[in-house]
């Protein structure tokens, strides 16, 4: 990977960009279901101004995001979040087995 692709990757993977990407995907799903912002707000129990801010900025509480997922029938997607990694070959798995820590590192 060249330096330009590396820099572009870092720019695209900012927290704000990730949040906005999630909001864009929720909006796309809302439109697939032909829901207005108000309809999805009511269906999910999220106040309309909160939902509008979410679509605009990507900012929402985790609880709010889960409520939206439930309203759109997308709760299975949350199961994949931070799930166990799958390995492409036995060498990667064996390498990982040797480096697994049992406890976290102490601070200070």
């Amino acid at each position: 990977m060249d330096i330009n692709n590396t820099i572009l990757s870092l720019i695209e993977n900012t927290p704000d960009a990730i949040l906005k990407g999630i909001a864009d995907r929720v909006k796309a799903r809302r439109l697939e279901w032909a829901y207005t912002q108000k309809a999805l707000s009511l269906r999910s129990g999220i106040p309309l101004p909160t939902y509008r801010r979410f679509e605009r900025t990507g900012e929402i509480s985790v609880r709010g995001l889960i409520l939206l997922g439930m309203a759109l029938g997308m709760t299975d997607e949350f199961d994949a979040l931070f799930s166990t990694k799958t390995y492409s070959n036995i060498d990667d798995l064996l390498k990982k087995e040797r480096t697994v820590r049992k406890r976290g590192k102490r601070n200070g």
Side-chain angles (χ1 to χ4, degrees), residues 67-108:
L67 288 169
L68 287 171
M70 293 171 76
L72 293 168
M74 299 179 66
T75 54
D76 290 345
E77 282 77 357
F78 290 110
D79 290 337
L81 189 62
F82 301 114
S83 64
T84 305
K85 182 179 177 184
T86 56
Y87 298 94
S88 58
N89 60 52
I90 191 71
D91 292 330
D92 288 344
L93 178 60
L94 292 173
K95 186 171 137 183
K96 180 64 178 167
E97 288 289 320
R98 289 189 295 263
T99 61
V100 172
R101 292 182 55 89
K102 300 293 182 198
R103 298 187 322 204
K105 190 175 183 180
R106 275 192 181 171
N107 292 335

Side-chain angles (χ1 to χ4, degrees), residues 4-86:
N4 291 332
N5 286 339
T6 302
I7 291 171
L8 186 59
S9 175
L10 290 173
I11 292 169
E12 291 175 351
N13 287 322
T14 65
D16 290 340
I18 293 168
L19 290 170
K20 185 65 174 114
I22 292 169
D24 291 344
R25 290 189 297 277
V26 169
K27 179 181 178 179
R29 181 58 63 99
R30 173 179 68 79
L31 295 173
E32 284 175 17
W33 284 84
Y35 291 149
T36 62
Q37 287 181 335
K38 184 176 181 181
L40 184 54
S41 168
L42 291 170
R43 187 172 179 85
S44 65
I46 295 172
L48 183 57
T50 301
Y51 182 77
R52 285 185 174 150
R53 185 181 69 237
F54 169 64
E55 274 197 8
R56 192 175 62 256
T57 67
E59 293 182 15
I60 195 165
S61 69
V62 174
R63 185 176 194 283
L65 187 60
I66 291 170
L67 288 169
L68 287 171
M70 293 171 76
L72 293 168
M74 299 179 66
T75 54
D76 290 345
E77 282 77 357
F78 290 110
D79 290 337
L81 189 62
F82 301 114
S83 64
T84 305
K85 182 179 177 184
T86 56

